[in-house]
């Protein structure tokens, strides 16, 4: 495995949604993702964190072209997905798969497990007859289920088992890149660890690359090589996972990390939280300059006027005027 | 001195077409004045049913309180008439839910909702109720209380709605507030605001709290004592120090080990608890955790473990704590807590 190969490069990605305006019915733009860039190396995991509505899912869906990007490039294995033609898109869709947050909603209740996992095999004409059946059993085994489960329906499974079925379906087409959008948020802690361990084992055995979207920062730290923090459609800080948690530079990252409750009474008692005032502003008319300035305790005049640029080296980049 | 709340051998079942779901299977715990108690455990283990029984909020049928008592300031809530219970709810015991939208009236102004709550339990004038509502809005940190008073719930963010719920639950100065996953639907930075608020209020008003959560971090931060539930029973209870630093039950070991720590330096594999909880329609005869327990012994299959006292206030229900299993327990503990 070539560890230095960049498999995914997202460049200045923008996704605006038109929304009906509140005044005079004039339509305006919701800036869900606004100039986002990152690269991911083969076999590694980029964790994408931030509060709900900051644009994480939109980044994932735009990469897969489930949403057409407003502008920007998504370069997968040297090829720009954004300008790919429909027939090229089909092969790319096979190489990039997605695992969703809600294992209940994302599986068709009227299909058996075998049909669910077999569907992508049929769409991409990967296996038929006995080979198809064997492949389905192999996939079930890979995710810790077994052949007996193939004839059952989703409602007969627990949340963790359903998430395994979703993972097996994603793996069916032998993807190289998987976007995991909050894959464990709906699961109990004891089951979360089962799914995380499975994702890690699969990554080691199959050389998979992950974009791992989550709001559980401890879990993101655990699974990621690199972590990007988003706020209101923008990445504000991106660094190697260990570095980001040991040495957060952006005031928003600092507040986010300090907000995590620690499962240790002694540490919890001494811990001083940075409490952010108010709520996240609307992405329809985001604050000018630094988008965080309305809640930042270090904001200066320049912060409301000028957007901060990224500074730092390849291991750690921060967009803040303080740096 | 009697405890503020004493739950004794509470049993609750749901009668559904498939059979009797034994949601709560004989639990007992006490809560002192001003104390903050966490109830933890995985989905479906009976946390919400327990607190809804205390509040007498369960629909019957399908629910039936099959046994036990709930003594609040010495009187058994299970014996009160619905009229008497209305005087307790929202007055002597306040309640905060996970999703504030379902408990707020969408067509009534926020301030009015708080004021109405006060007027339901106190003989006060409209003006005094309004004054109290504004005071409460202030207490929970709703910005611009006067302006907020006239807004509707949909105009509020999730965090502001939860602040409103807290204001309503505290308006009549209850002795006990029950919070069922009050921050689960919120983002971490908003959760941090609400947790600070709850801590501050508890200190100032000396209110006792029962907090349901599955986030052990919140427990460590906010609570004095913890009750760990599994499949409708309490399997371990103690002070937060007991539970975090000297856990005794294999399920508690599992819970603590399956979460990564933000503070850990080196990366280690998580240790999940294999399998899933049992079906409560046919709960097992022996220890309910047996199918998932690495240390299960013969006795665990047929005999439900007794409660063993570890120290004053720390109890666990596991056969490993029987003196006859001392050697196995020691080895298991070494391994599990490594
Ligand atoms: N109305 C109902 N009808 C039938 N069964 C019910 C009903 N409400 C709860 N139960 C069952 O009672 C048991 C305990 O449920 P409860 O809501 O107390 O779980 P919980 O510990 O609060 O879980 P969670 O963490 O998911 O909120 C579960 O088996 C549940 O399916
Ligand atoms: N299909 C859509 N149409 C309009 N707005 C959308 C759509 N999808 C997402 N948004 C908006 O874009 C912003 C980012 O959403 P999302 O990417 O889902 O956030 P996250 O995954 O970080 O919670 C939000 O304001 C959301 O309401
Ligand atoms: S640029 Fe200014 S407002 Fe933005 S995070 Fe830095 S200091 Fe705060
Ligand atoms: S009683 Fe037996 S099965 Fe139950 S937790 Fe203890 S050792 Fe495990
Ligand atoms: Mg999302
Ligand atoms: Mg519940």
């Amino acid at each position: 495995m070539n560890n230095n190969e960049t498999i995914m490069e997202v460049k200045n990605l923008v996704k605006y949604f038109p929304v009906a305006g509140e005044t005079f019915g004039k339509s305006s733009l919701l800036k869900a993702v606004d100039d986002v860039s990152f690269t991911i190396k083969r076999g590694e995991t980029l964790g994408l964190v931030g509060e709900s509505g900051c644009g994480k899912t939109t980044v994932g869906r735009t990469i897969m072209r489930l949403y057409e990007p407003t502008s920007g490039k998504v370069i997968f294995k040297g090829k720009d997905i954004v300008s790919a033609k429909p027939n090229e898109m089909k092969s790319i869709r096979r190489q990039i798969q997605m695992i969703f947050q809600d294992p209940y909603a994302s599986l068709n209740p009227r299909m058996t497990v075998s049909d669910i996992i077999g569907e992508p095999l049929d769409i991409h004409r990967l296996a038929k007859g006995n080979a198809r059946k064997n492949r389905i059993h192999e996939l079930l085994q890979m995710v810790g289920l077994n052949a007996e489960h193939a004839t059952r329906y989703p409602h007969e499974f627990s949340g963790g088992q359903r998430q395994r079925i979703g993972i097996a379906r994603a793996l069916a087409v032998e993807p190289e890149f998987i976007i995991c959008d909050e894959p464990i948020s709906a699961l109990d802690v004891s089951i979360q660890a089962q799914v995380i361990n499975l994702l890690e084992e699969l990554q080691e055995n199959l050389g998979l690359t992950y974009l791992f979207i989550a709001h559980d920062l401890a879990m993101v730290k655990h699974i990621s090589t690199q972590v990007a923090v988003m706020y209101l459609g923008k990445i504000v800080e991106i660094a190697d996972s260990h570095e980001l948690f040991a040495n957060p530079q952006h005031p928003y990252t600092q507040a986010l990390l300090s907000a995590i409750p620690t499962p240790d009474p002694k540490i919890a008692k001494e811990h001083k939280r940075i409490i952010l005032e108010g709520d996240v502003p609307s992405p329809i008319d985001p604050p000018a300059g630094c988008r965080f300035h309305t809640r930042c305790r270090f904001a200066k005049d320049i912060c409301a006027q000028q957007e901060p640029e990224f500074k730092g080296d390849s291991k750690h980049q921060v967009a803040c005027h303080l740096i | 001195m009697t405890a503020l709340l004493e739950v004794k051998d509470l049993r609750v079942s749901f009668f559904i077409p498939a059979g009797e779901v034994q949601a709560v299977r004989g639990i007992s715990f006490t809560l002192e004045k001003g104390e903050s108690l966490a109830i933890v455990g995985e989905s479906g283990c009976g946390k919400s049913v327990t607190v809804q029984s205390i509040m007498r909020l369960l629909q019957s049928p399908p629910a039936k309180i099959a046994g036990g008592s709930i003594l609040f300031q010495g009187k058994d809530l299970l014996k009160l008439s619905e009229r008497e219970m209305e005087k307790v709810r929202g007055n002597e015991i306040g309640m905060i839910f996970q999703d504030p939208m379902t408990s707020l009236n969408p067509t009534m102004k926020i301030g009015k909702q708080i004021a109405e709550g006060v007027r339901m339990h106190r003989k006060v004038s409209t003006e005094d109720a309004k004054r109290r509502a504004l005071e409460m809005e202030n207490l929970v940190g709703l910005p611009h209380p006067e302006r907020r008073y006239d807004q509707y719930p949909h105009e509020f963010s999730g965090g502001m709605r939860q602040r409103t719920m807290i204001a309503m639950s505290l308006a009549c100065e209850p002795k006990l507030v029950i919070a069922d996953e009050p921050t689960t639907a919120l983002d971490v930075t908003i959760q941090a605001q609400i947790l600070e608020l709850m801590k501050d209020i508890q200190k100032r008003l000396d209110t006792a709290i029962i907090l349901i959560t599955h986030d052990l971090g919140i427990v460590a931060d906010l609570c004095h004592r913890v009750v760990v539930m599994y499949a409708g029973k309490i399997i371990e209870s103690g002070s937060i120090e007991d539970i975090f630093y000297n856990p005794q039950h294999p399920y508690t070991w599992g819970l603590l080990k399956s979460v990564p720590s933000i503070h850990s330096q080196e990366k280690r594999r998580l240790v999940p608890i294999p399998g899933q909880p049992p079906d409560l329609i046919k709960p097992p005869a022996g220890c309910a955790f047996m199918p998932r327990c690495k240390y299960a012994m013969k006795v665990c299959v047929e005999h439900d473990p007794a409660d063993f006292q570890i120290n004053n206030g720390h109890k666990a229900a596991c056969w490993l704590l029987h003196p006859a299993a001392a050697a196995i327990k020691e080895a298991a503990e070494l391994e599990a807590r490594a």
Side-chain angles (χ1 to χ4, degrees), chain B residues 11-14 20-25 45 231-232 280-283:
Chain B
R11 292 165 192 278
V12 188
S13 287
F14 292 91
E20 178 187 354
V21 180
Q22 299 180 28
V24 174
R25 304 189 294 143
C45 72
L280 292 177
I281 292 188
K282 275 185 256 99

Side-chain angles (χ1 to χ4, degrees), chain B residues 40-59:
Chain B
V40 301
E42 63 205 274
S43 189
C45 72
K47 307 179 294 290
S48 297
V49 171
T50 300
V51 296
Q52 281 167 9
S53 307
I54 297 172
M55 294 298 269
R56 292 260 309 268
L57 288 172
L58 291 169
Q59 283 276 351

